[in-house]
C-alpha cells in the first residue's frame, strides 16, 4: 500500500486575536467627522463613524441600527444592518411604521467586528440627533437699512442696497445661519435675474448693506432671505422690492376707484368719479396734485372737468393723498369716464397719467333661468312639481344669466329647506361658471308622503359695477334612496302565502329533478320604479346555461305602497327544468327600472340529490 501525501500552505497566516476591536466614535449626520444635533427628516437617519480599529486582525464589518433610547441593546427604529468595513457613513431608511417623531431624539448604534476566527465585537452609540420637522418661524424682511425698521420703496443711489430683518426664530433647533440673494428686474418689471447669489451670514446678523453695485434707473430690486435652522430646514422670504429712481417724479400706482392697486372698470354711481394714485420723487419731493376728467360718449371724447379744455383742477398739496373723489357730477349710463392725474414736484416738473376709465352701469344682472338636477343647459325632470334625485351628498345646478353693460363677475349660491333659505349651505361664491355640482352636502331623505324635507337652491349674480341681481329660487328637490338590488333564495318553502312572504328558509338540497323555485325580496328603485323582472338558472353564479333570462313564471306579492310606483319588490318564480343529480344550480333575478338600469342578485345555489342515504353496519 502506498501512502502518498501532499502539503499545502495557506496564502495568509492565521492571526490569533483574542481581543475585541477598539471602539470609535459614532456621529449623527451625513457629513464625515461632523456631528449634527438636529435632523429635518422623518423617513431616514444618517450617521458617520470614525476611529474604530483593531490592531491585530482589523475591522471586518460593521452592524448598524437605530434606537429611540440611549441603549445599545435596543433597535426599535431600525434593526441591525451589515455595513462594509470600507464604509464609514450611511443613511438608514425608516419605514412608515417607525417614522421619526418631531422633537424626539434618536441614536445610532454601531457594532464593529474584527477579522479573527472567533470574531470579537465592540459597540458605540451616538449622542443622539433630535428631529425638527418644522421650518424656522418666519419673521419680516424689508429693503434698506433705514432706522425704525422702515421699508425702502425707492432709492436714488445706484451703488447701494441693503436689507434688514427681525423676528426669525426656531423654538426647536435655533437659527443656524442666514443667506442673502439679490435679484434685479430692469425697467420696473417682474422679470428678475440674480445679480448676487447666496451669501452666508451668521445667525446673529440682522442687516446687511453693500455699496458696490451698478444699478440703473427703474431697476426693480428684490432681496431674498433664506433662514436655516439647526436641522438644515430652510424658509425663504422675499422683500417687496424697491425701485431705483434717478429722475423725478415717478408714478407708483394709478387706477379708477378709491383703492390703490385695485383698478375698477365699472361703477353704478352717476354723481361721482374717483381715482386712486401714488407718486414719489426721491430727489425734490412732491409739491401738489391736479386732475382733469374726460368723457367718452357716443364716440365723442371731451374734457368735462375743468370745462375749459387744457385747464387743470388743483386738488391741494397733501402729498400723502392716494385717492380723490369728485362729487356733484351728472354722468350718463354707458359712458366711459377717465381721470388724468398730474403730480408736480418742487422743481415744477409734471408727471401726468390717465386712468383707463370706468364705465357707468346702473342696471343689475338678469338671471333667465335656474335648473336643478342637471348640468349645462339640460332641462329639469319634474314629477308633480318636484325634481327627484337619489344623491344625498350633492346637487347638480345650472343657470343662465347676463349683464350686457359690465358683465357678471360672480355668483352666490345657497341651499336651504325653504325658498331662499341657506340652512343646508350658506351663501357661497362662484366665479364665471354657470353649471356646478354642489358637493359635500348632507341631505336627509324626503318623506314621500309628507314631502318633508324638500330642498331649494337659491342664486344671485353680481356685475362688474357691484350691482346684485334679484334672488332666484329653484324647483323644490325631493331626495330618495338610490336603486337597491334585493335578496334571492332557493326553494319553495313559504310561497303558499304571498301576503306573509318571509325569505328565511333557503334550500341547499332538493330531491325533485324537474322543478326550480326561487324567492326574491327587496328590489327597490325609489327614483325610477321597477318596470319588469326576469330570471335565469345556471350551473355557475349568474349563469344562464340551464335557462336564459325570461320574464315568465314570476308571481309578485301584494304591497300597499310600491317605491317609485313600479312593480312590487318581492315574490317568487318557478319553472320546470331538466336537472341532474349532484349538480349545483344558481338562480339569478334581474329587476329592470323605467330608465333601463338593471338590479341583479344571485342565490347561493342548491344541489339536486336523488340518491338515498347509504347505511353500513359495523360487525
Amino acid at each position: 500500500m502506498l501512502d502518498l501525501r501532499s502539503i499545502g500552505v495557506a496564502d495568509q497566516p492565521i492571526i490569533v486575536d483574542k481581543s475585541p476591536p477598539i471602539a470609535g466614535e459614532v456621529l449623527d449626520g451625513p457629513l464625515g467627522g461632523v456631528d449634527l444635533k438636529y435632523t429635518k427628516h422623518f423617513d431616514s437617519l444618517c450617521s458617520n463613524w470614525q476611529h474604530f480599529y483593531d490592531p491585530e486582525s482589523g475591522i471586518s464589518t460593521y452592524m448598524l441600527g437605530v434606537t429611540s433610547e440611549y441603549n445599545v441593546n435596543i433597535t426599535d427604529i431600525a434593526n441591525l444592518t451589515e455595513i462594509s468595513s470600507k464604509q464609514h457613513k450611511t443613511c438608514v431608511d425608516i419605514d412608515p411604521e417607525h417614522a421619526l417623531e418631531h422633537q424626539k431624539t434618536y441614536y445610532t448604534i454601531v457594532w464593529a467586528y474584527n477579522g479573527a476566527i472567533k470574531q470579537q465585537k465592540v459597540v458605540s452609540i451616538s449622542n443622539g440627533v433630535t428631529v425638527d420637522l418644522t421650518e424656522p418661524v418666519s419673521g419680516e424682511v424689508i429693503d434698506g437699512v433705514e432706522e425704525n425698521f422702515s421699508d425702502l420703496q425707492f432709492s436714488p443711489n445706484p451703488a447701494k442696497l441693503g436689507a434688514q430683518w427681525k423676528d426669525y426664530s426656531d423654538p426647536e433647533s435655533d437659527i443656524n445661519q442666514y443667506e442673502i440673494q439679490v435679484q434685479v428686474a430692469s425697467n420696473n418689471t417682474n422679470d428678475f435675474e440674480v445679480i448676487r447669489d447666496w451669501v452666508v451670514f451668521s445667525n446673529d446678523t440682522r442687516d446687511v448693506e453693500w455699496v458696490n453695485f451698478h444699478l440703473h434707473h427703474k431697476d426693480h430690486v428684490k432681496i431674498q432671505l433664506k433662514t436655516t435652522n439647526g436641522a438644515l430646514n430652510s424658509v425663504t422670504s422675499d422683500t417687496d422690492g424697491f425701485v431705483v429712481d434717478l429722475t423725478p417724479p415717478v408714478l407708483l400706482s394709478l387706477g379708477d376707484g378709491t383703492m390703490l392697486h385695485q383698478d375698477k372698470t365699472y361703477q353704478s354711481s352717476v354723481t361721482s368719479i374717483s381715482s386712486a394714485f401714488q407718486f414719489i420723487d426721491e430727489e425734490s419731493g412732491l409739491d401738489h396734485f391736479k386732475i382733469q376728467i374726460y368723457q367718452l360718449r357716443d364716440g365723442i371724447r371731451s374734457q368735462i372737468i375743468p370745462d375749459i379744455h387744457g385747464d387743470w383742477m388743483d386738488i391741494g398739496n397733501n402729498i400723502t393723498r392716494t385717492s380723490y373723489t369728485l362729487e356733484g357730477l351728472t354722468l350718463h349710463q354707458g359712458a366711459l369716464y377717465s381721470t388724468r392725474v398730474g403730480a408736480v414736484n418742487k422743481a415744477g416738473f409734471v408727471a401726468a397719467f390717465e386712468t383707463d376709465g370706468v364705465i357707468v352701469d346702473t342696471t343689475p344682472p338678469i338671471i333667465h333661468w335656474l335648473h336643478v338636477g342637471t348640468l349645462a343647459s339640460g332641462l329639469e325632470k319634474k314629477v308633480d312639481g318636484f325634481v327627484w334625485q337619489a344623491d344625498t351628498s350633492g346637487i347638480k345646478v345650472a343657470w343662465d344669466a347676463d349683464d350686457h353693460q359690465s358683465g357678471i363677475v360672480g355668483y352666490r349660491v345657497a341651499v336651504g329647506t325653504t325658498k331662499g333659505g341657506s340652512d343646508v349651505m350658506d351663501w357661497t361664491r362662484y366665479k364665471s361658471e354657470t353649471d356646478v355640482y354642489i358637493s359635500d352636502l348632507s341631505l336627509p331623505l324626503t318623506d314621500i308622503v309628507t314631502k318633508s324635507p324638500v330642498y331649494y337652491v337659491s342664486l344671485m349674480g353680481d356685475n362688474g359695477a357691484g350691482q346684485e341681481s334679484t334672488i332666484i329660487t329653484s324647483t323644490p328637490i325631493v331626495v330618495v334612496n338610490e336603486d337597491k338590488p334585493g335578496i334571492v333564495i332557493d326553494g319553495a318553502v313559504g310561497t303558499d302565502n304571498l301576503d306573509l312572504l318571509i325569505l328565511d328558509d333557503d334550500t341547499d338540497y332538493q330531491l325533485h329533478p324537474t322543478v326550480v323555485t326561487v324567492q326574491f325580496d327587496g328590489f327597490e328603485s325609489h327614483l325610477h320604479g321597477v318596470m319588469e323582472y326576469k330570471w335565469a338558472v345556471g350551473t355557475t353564479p349568474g349563469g344562464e346555461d340551464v335557462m336564459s333570462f325570461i320574464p315568465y313564471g314570476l308571481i309578485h306579492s301584494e304591497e300597499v305602497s310600491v317605491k317609485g310606483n313600479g312593480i312590487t319588490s318581492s315574490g317568487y318564480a318557478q319553472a320546470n327544468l331538466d336537472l341532474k343529480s349532484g349538480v349545483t344550480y344558481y338562480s339569478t333575478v334581474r329587476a329592470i327600472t323605467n330608465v333601463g338600469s338593471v338590479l341583479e342578485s344571485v342565490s347561493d345555489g342548491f344541489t339536486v340529490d336523488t340518491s338515498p342515504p347509504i347505511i353500513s353496519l359495523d360487525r
Side-chain angles (χ1 to χ4, degrees), residues 23 109 161 189 206 216 236-237 267 329 420 451 506 583 615:
I109 305 165
L161 64 81
T189 66
R206 293 296 178 269
H216 302 89
T236 301
S237 307
Q267 70 173 45
L329 301 174
K451 293 296 188 295
D506 182 37
V583 177
I615 301 174

Side-chain angles (χ1 to χ4, degrees), residues 19 51 92 94 146 156 218 243 284 426 435 473 478 541 560 568 615:
S19 62
H51 308 318
V92 177
I94 307 299
E146 304 294 327
K218 298 181 71 174
V243 176
S284 60
D426 202 1
D435 58 340
T473 301
V478 170
V560 176
T568 58
I615 301 174

Side-chain angles (χ1 to χ4, degrees), residues 1-5:
M1 177 181 295
L2 297 176
D3 185 9
L4 300 177
R5 300 183 184 183

Side-chain angles (χ1 to χ4, degrees), residues 142-147 149-153 161-165 206-209 223 239 242:
I142 61 173
D143 298 291
V145 292
E146 304 294 327
E147 294 182 357
F149 204 73
S150 178
D151 187 27
L152 182 68
Q153 295 294 321
L161 64 81
Q164 54 183 317
W165 55 92
R206 293 296 178 269
D207 60 74
V208 61
E209 185 176 40
I223 295 175
T239 66
F242 66 90

Side-chain angles (χ1 to χ4, degrees), residues 8-27:
V9 179
D11 294 335
Q12 297 178 350
I14 296 176
I15 299 175
V16 178
D17 184 358
K18 298 181 179 181
S19 62
I22 304 301
E25 182 181 20
V26 181
L27 307 176

Side-chain angles (χ1 to χ4, degrees), residues 177-180 197-202:
Q177 66 180 31
Y178 297 102
E179 296 175 75
I180 289 289
D197 214 347
W198 298 108
V199 179
V200 178
F201 296 91
S202 64

